[in-house]
Amino acid sequence: MPSKQPPTLGSLAVQEPSSTPHLVHVSPSTCHNLSMFKDLLKEYRRLDDTITMRLNRTNAQFRDRDRAGISGKGNIQDQACAYVWKELVENWKRRTEMINYCVNIVDQSIEGKRKSLTSEQGDARAERKTQAAMFADEVKRNQVHNELAVEKIVRQRSLDAFQSRCQYFSPPLTEAEARKWWDAVHIQESP
C-alpha cells in the first residue's frame, strides 16, 4: 500500500501556488439540470467567496518571490492586487458566458416547444404535455435569469473586499477587458 502524502498545512499551504480552476464544458444538458448548473456556479464563485484569503495568499507568494530576488515591477502589494484582479476578471467572464449560454439554451427550448404547440393543435393530450414542458422550462429560465442578478451582487461584494485591501489599485488602461469589468462594477455602485 503506497504511503499517502499528508495535506499541506500552515504557512506552507498559504505559500503553495493556487490550483487553476478546472474548466468545464457546459452543454445544453447542464443548463437543463438546475442542480448541476447551480453547483457549477457555486464552484466558480469560490474565488469570490475567498477573496480575502486569496489576497493574503497572493501577497505572501509575491513577498517570498521578492525575498528570493524574483520580483516584478512595482511594489509587492500592487503586484498581488494585479494578479488577483486578473483572476477575478477571468472568473467573472467565464461565469457570465456560462449564464448567458444557458439563458439562450433555455430560451431556445421554450421557443421550440412553442412552435411544436402550434403544430399539435387538435391533439389535446400532446398539447397538455407540451404546455407542461414549457412551464417547466419557464421555471428554469427564471432560475437561470436570477443567476444574473446574483452575479451582480457577488461581483460587487468581491469588489468591495478587493478595494478594502487594494485601495490604490486601478487596472492598467492597456487591459481593455479588465477596464470594462472595473467600469461596469463602478457604474453599478453609483446611485
Side-chain angles (χ1 to χ4, degrees):
M1 181 183 226
S3 65
K4 191 175 176 183
Q5 289 283 2
T8 309
L9 302 172
S11 61
L12 288 177
V14 170
Q15 295 170 6
E16 196 171 87
S18 63
S19 59
T20 56
H22 177 74
L23 292 178
V24 176
H25 297 286
V26 179
S27 67
S29 64
T30 307
C31 298
H32 286 290
N33 182 338
L34 282 177
S35 296
M36 186 185 306
F37 175 72
K38 287 189 175 211
D39 285 346
L40 191 56
L41 280 175
K42 181 180 175 185
E43 187 64 35
Y44 274 112
R45 287 178 177 146
R46 191 167 288 172
L47 171 63
D48 291 77
D49 293 340
T50 59
I51 185 75
T52 301
M53 182 197 67
R54 296 291 284 215
L55 283 164
N56 290 341
R57 175 184 283 182
T58 305
N59 232 343
Q61 288 174 336
F62 278 91
R63 217 177 14 256
D64 288 346
R65 287 180 186 171
D66 187 51
R67 287 180 192 143
I70 315 170
S71 61
K73 296 182 208 171
N75 70 31
I76 295 166
Q77 180 75 24
D78 291 344
Q79 291 176 48
C81 290
Y83 182 83
V84 171
W85 176 253
K86 185 178 177 190
E87 278 186 332
L88 271 175
V89 167
E90 289 171 3
N91 212 0
W92 290 348
K93 184 180 174 187
R94 271 195 304 269
R95 286 198 316 254
T96 302
E97 287 171 353
M98 183 175 75
I99 293 170
N100 287 333
Y101 172 78
C102 285
V103 164
N104 290 335
I105 291 295
V106 174
D107 284 347
Q108 287 172 5
S109 176
I110 290 172
E111 191 55 39
K113 288 180 176 84
R114 194 169 282 133
K115 286 179 183 175
S116 73
L117 189 61
T118 59
S119 68
E120 293 172 349
Q121 289 179 340
D123 185 357
R125 185 174 180 206
E127 281 183 40
R128 281 193 306 273
K129 187 176 180 181
T130 303
Q131 285 174 334
M134 276 179 60
F135 178 74
D137 279 355
E138 286 173 1
V139 169
K140 286 178 199 171
R141 180 179 58 190
N142 290 339
Q143 291 288 316
V144 173
H145 275 277
N146 286 343
E147 291 302 326
L148 289 171
V150 171
E151 264 310 291
K152 288 179 183 176
I153 294 166
V154 169
R155 278 195 294 258
Q156 187 60 54
R157 193 187 70 199
S158 296
L159 182 69
D160 291 345
F162 179 83
Q163 286 185 318
S164 73
R165 295 286 306 276
C166 300
Q167 297 169 348
Y168 305 108
F169 176 82
S170 180
L173 295 173
T174 56
E175 295 180 18
E177 186 75 23
R179 286 303 298 185
K180 182 185 91 168
W181 285 102
W182 182 264
D183 294 341
V185 175
H186 279 86
I187 288 169
Q188 289 176 10
E189 64 184 31
S190 53

